[in-house]
């Protein structure tokens, strides 16, 4: 199994910055793509940013391009999301995601518990 633990959420004023971190714990699984998703009240969960194992291939939602930066440390099994110029519409629960596989299990999604980000206007 893969366990994901997020940290770094909180309350910030519009225009401010926050950094989210996610640490993966696993013994036998290979972690492939990792990323951040978010879900605002009454809305579906949406992709924020993803990063591949090569740490170079990234994908961002149009709404966060130029403001958010995702990074990854394969040795520490962590990903970070640096969020700048935050807007009220960034308010949501942010979830860490990892796609992982092992010799005995096909690749599948794993999710963290989520961390709340609230941007006040």
């Amino acid at each position: 199994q893969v366990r994901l633990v997020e940290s770094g959420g909180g309350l910030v004023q519009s225009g401010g910055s926050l950094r989210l971190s996610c640490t993966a714990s696993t013994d036998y699984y290979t972690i492939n793509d990792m990323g951040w998703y978010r879900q605002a009240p009454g809305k579906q969960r949406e992709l924020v940013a993803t990063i591949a194992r090569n740490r170079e291939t990234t994908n961002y939602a149009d709404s966060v391009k130029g403001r958010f930066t995702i990074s990854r440390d394969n040795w520490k099994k962590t990903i970070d999301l640096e969020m700048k110029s935050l807007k009220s519409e960034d308010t949501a629960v942010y979830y860490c995601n990892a796609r992982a596989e092992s010799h005995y299990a096909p690749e599948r999604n794993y999710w963290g518990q989520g961390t709340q980000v609230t941007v006040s206007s």
Side-chain angles (χ1 to χ4, degrees):
Q1 294 296 309
V2 178
R3 181 170 179 254
L4 302 173
V5 178
E6 303 104 334
S7 63
L11 174 65
V12 63
Q13 287 190 335
S14 180
S17 300
L18 275 178
R19 187 180 186 91
L20 304 182
S21 295
C22 173
T23 301
S25 298
T26 181
D27 290 330
Y28 304 110
Y29 281 68
T30 297
I31 299 174
N32 298 319
D33 286 2
M34 296 186 73
W36 291 94
Y37 290 71
R38 67 186 181 187
Q39 187 167 17
K43 294 187 177 181
Q44 290 188 334
R45 190 172 298 189
E46 64 176 3
L47 178 148
V48 176
T50 62
I51 186 167
R53 278 179 56 85
N54 63 15
R55 299 170 58 210
E56 295 180 0
T57 304
T58 58
N59 182 39
Y60 293 92
D62 288 342
S63 60
V64 306
K65 283 180 181 177
R67 300 188 299 121
F68 291 11
T69 303
I70 190 169
S71 59
R72 177 169 180 165
D73 185 325
N74 288 330
W75 179 255
K76 295 180 180 179
K77 297 180 183 176
T78 60
I79 59 169
D80 291 335
L81 185 68
E82 185 73 33
M83 305 185 293
K84 298 181 179 180
S85 303
L86 283 161
K87 306 175 182 179
S88 57
E89 50 262 46
D90 294 318
T91 295
V93 177
Y94 283 69
Y95 295 91
C96 180
N97 169 269
R99 290 193 62 79
E101 62 188 329
S102 74
H103 288 300
Y104 310 103
E107 186 181 70
R108 53 158 281 194
N109 278 314
Y110 292 88
W111 296 94
Q113 292 297 308
T115 185
Q116 177 70 46
V117 172
T118 303
V119 183
S120 62
S121 55

